[in-house]
Amino acid sequence: ALPLSSSWNPQVKQVRGVDDDYEDFDKIKIIGKGGFAEKVYLARKKDTGSLYAIKTMSKQFIMEEQGRYEQVFGELKVMQRLNNHPFVIRLFSAFHSEEYLHFAVDFCSGGELFYLL
């Protein structure tokens, strides 16, 4: 059975000591989609007013194929380890809801790197 409860995976923990939830952000608009992310939202944190990009991934999609799970959690581990690197977007928080996994990262305007290259 697909684990969709709030205790879905112990690896999905808050990052940098931040206790966030999807409800702590106001979605402004969709700024990307495709790949593993169902959608990437530009969002404003309600208490600080800071802007973030929130990558939203379906738990069901991640669990459909064996390699997806490892790839998503590999990405999370890399982002956690390189969180203060000057050339890597910082992971602000990682959290999950009933059906989705969310990564809140720094918002960088200017479009997707893929298209800039």
Side-chain angles (χ1 to χ4, degrees):
L2 186 63
L4 294 177
S5 70
S6 61
S7 61
W8 182 59
N9 189 302
Q11 293 183 39
V12 183
K13 297 177 184 166
Q14 306 310 87
V15 181
R16 300 174 67 195
V18 178
D19 187 22
D20 285 322
D21 184 279
Y22 195 61
E23 300 302 317
D24 294 336
F25 296 88
D26 286 323
K27 291 185 286 185
I28 297 172
K29 66 179 182 176
I30 295 173
I31 57 174
K33 53 182 151 180
F36 280 42
E38 188 167 300
K39 293 180 182 154
V40 179
Y41 293 96
L42 173 61
R44 184 177 312 277
K45 187 132 181 353
K46 291 178 182 177
D47 62 348
T48 64
S50 299
L51 293 175
Y52 296 95
I54 298 183
K55 181 178 180 178
T56 301
M57 298 162 279
S58 164
K59 291 179 183 180
Q60 186 170 3
F61 176 79
I62 293 168
M63 298 304 289
E64 282 176 356
E65 289 186 25
Q66 180 65 29
R68 289 181 188 159
Y69 178 89
E70 285 82 11
Q71 188 168 349
V72 168
F73 284 97
E75 177 183 353
L76 177 62
K77 287 178 184 178
V78 167
M79 291 177 79
Q80 286 174 321
R81 286 189 178 158
L82 298 177
N83 213 26
N84 291 316
H85 194 282
F87 303 117
V88 177
I89 290 179
R90 290 181 306 146
L91 177 66
F92 175 73
S93 186
F95 47 95
H96 61 101
S97 58
E98 181 87 18
E99 297 178 37
Y100 296 96
L101 177 61
H102 309 280
F103 292 171
V105 299
D106 286 328
F107 169 66
C108 297
S109 62
E112 293 184 35
L113 182 60
F114 176 80
Y115 293 109
L116 296 174
L117 293 173

